[in-house]
Amino acid sequence: MKADPGLFGPTSVTWQLHGDPMMWVAGVRALYLQALHPRAVRGVMQNSDFRRDAWGRLMRTADFVGTTTYGTSEAAEKAGARVRRIHRMLSATDPDTGERYGVDEPGLLLWVHCAEIDSYLHVLRRSGYPLTDAAADRYLAEHRVSARLVGLDPDEVPADRADMDAYFEKTRPELAAGAEAHDVDDFLLRPPVHPLLVPARALLWRRVAHLAYASLPPYAHELYGRRAPEPAAVTRQLRAMGTLLRCVPARLRWQLPPKHVLRAMARLGPEARPAPFKVGR
């Protein structure tokens, strides 16, 4: 019996892109961007102990992305069903109007999806990952699949860069950096760690957080109220970090739990190994 390639498969742009180590910087950028939608971030803050379990939330998101990218079709569908089931049970309250709304409103799900996928694409391309415009459009089109998993109508999801740009332009008036957004910012700069790890946090993590913040669009910097380096300097920093992280052997990086890539290669064979040069095939 032929092994299940999953929802995307080894020939997809997603398969290659999501194996890159700069995905971690991109994930932090996505959190910064997502927090600028007051209704969306309120849904997070009112339904989870973000300040105490933010690391757990980050790891669960990473596991969901890994499962939906490299897992079997069944595993991906189950992960999506679990997310939809949780979202159906949750709601949030607007403190100004008293309105109570579900966190699974399509508009909120779409914002979270677009902020995430745009961040992955933006950071990896800007850090030197070789991706043509056509491949970038293909990546966005592929993620109508992941949008379906969280409960969105794929036809309502941006399918290329022009669609994504138009979506962000349309949504910008709804964005603001409220108290919840600044809570997220504070956590990302100073996440709680064991006292022995405080020096490492200052040396390593804060560098990642600052770079992720700097890679945001200018309107996001204006909303947060913190300046960022000039775009050219940010691009140089992203490329330097990308070069450094990509020097770490992929097999070593992929040993980190939960080992989604290695499990996919064991299921499909060594030819399923993600690699940038495969994107144009």
Side-chain angles (χ1 to χ4, degrees):
M1 181 182 294
K2 189 175 181 180
D4 178 4
L7 296 184
F8 297 100
T11 62
S12 67
V13 177
T14 296
W15 191 277
Q16 319 313 329
L17 205 69
H18 287 186
D20 191 85
M22 288 296 285
M23 283 286 287
W24 284 102
V25 178
V28 176
R29 181 191 191 265
L31 289 177
Y32 270 119
L33 197 52
Q34 289 166 346
L36 288 176
H37 196 299
R39 288 170 70 87
V41 72
R42 194 178 296 129
V44 173
M45 293 304 204
Q46 292 185 11
N47 286 286
S48 64
D49 195 348
F50 181 86
R51 296 166 186 82
R52 292 180 179 271
D53 189 39
W55 287 116
R57 183 176 179 82
L58 285 170
M59 294 309 297
R60 287 191 293 274
T61 298
D63 185 53
F64 178 80
V65 173
T67 298
T68 56
T69 303
Y70 299 111
T72 63
S73 299
E74 180 183 10
E77 294 291 352
K78 284 184 176 178
R82 184 165 57 251
V83 168
R84 295 193 304 274
R85 183 171 62 252
I86 292 172
H87 284 171
R88 279 197 301 270
M89 296 186 296
L90 302 179
S91 60
T93 301
D94 185 322
D96 295 324
T97 66
E99 175 200 4
R100 192 149 189 87
Y101 57 92
V103 302
D104 62 349
E105 282 186 355
L108 303 184
L109 296 178
L110 184 59
W111 169 253
V112 171
H113 170 85
C114 289
E116 181 177 308
I117 299 305
D118 176 77
S119 291
Y120 296 161
L121 186 60
H122 178 89
V123 167
L124 267 70
R125 293 191 84 188
R126 199 171 172 188
S127 67
Y129 193 97
L131 208 62
T132 65
D133 288 346
D137 285 342
R138 191 172 140 210
Y139 175 75
L140 294 177
E142 288 172 359
H143 278 277
R144 287 184 155 187
V145 173
S146 61
R148 174 185 62 78
L149 289 179
V150 298
L152 285 164
D153 177 353
D155 291 337
E156 301 298 322
V157 177
D160 57 29
R161 289 169 300 122
D163 282 353
M164 187 67 85
D165 289 345
Y167 168 76
F168 279 111
E169 189 64 29
K170 177 183 175 183
T171 308
R172 276 180 61 177
E174 302 175 32
L175 306 182
E180 294 95 342
H182 285 290
D183 282 345
V184 171
D185 182 26
D186 185 62
F187 164 78
L188 291 174
L189 289 175
R190 289 171 289 274
V193 296
H194 189 280
L196 293 177
L197 296 178
V198 169
R201 180 183 67 181
L203 179 65
L204 300 175
W205 175 260
R206 188 163 295 186
R207 184 168 299 179
V208 170
H210 278 297
L211 189 52
Y213 177 85
S215 70
L216 289 166
Y219 68 80
H221 299 145
E222 292 175 12
L223 291 173
Y224 274 112
R226 285 198 292 117
R227 298 183 62 183
E230 290 297 317
V234 176
T235 299
R236 288 194 297 270
Q237 292 169 20
L238 285 166
R239 284 182 172 269
M241 182 172 284
T243 299
L244 178 64
L245 292 180
R246 290 166 190 141
C247 286
V248 179
R251 276 277 184 178
L252 181 61
R253 290 189 277 105
W254 295 336
Q255 287 290 341
L256 294 173
K259 303 183 180 182
H260 289 295
V261 175
L262 294 181
R263 292 211 301 269
M265 290 170 60
R267 184 174 83 249
L268 299 170
E271 65 276 6
R273 177 190 177 98
F277 73 86
K278 296 181 178 179
V279 170
R281 288 184 174 181

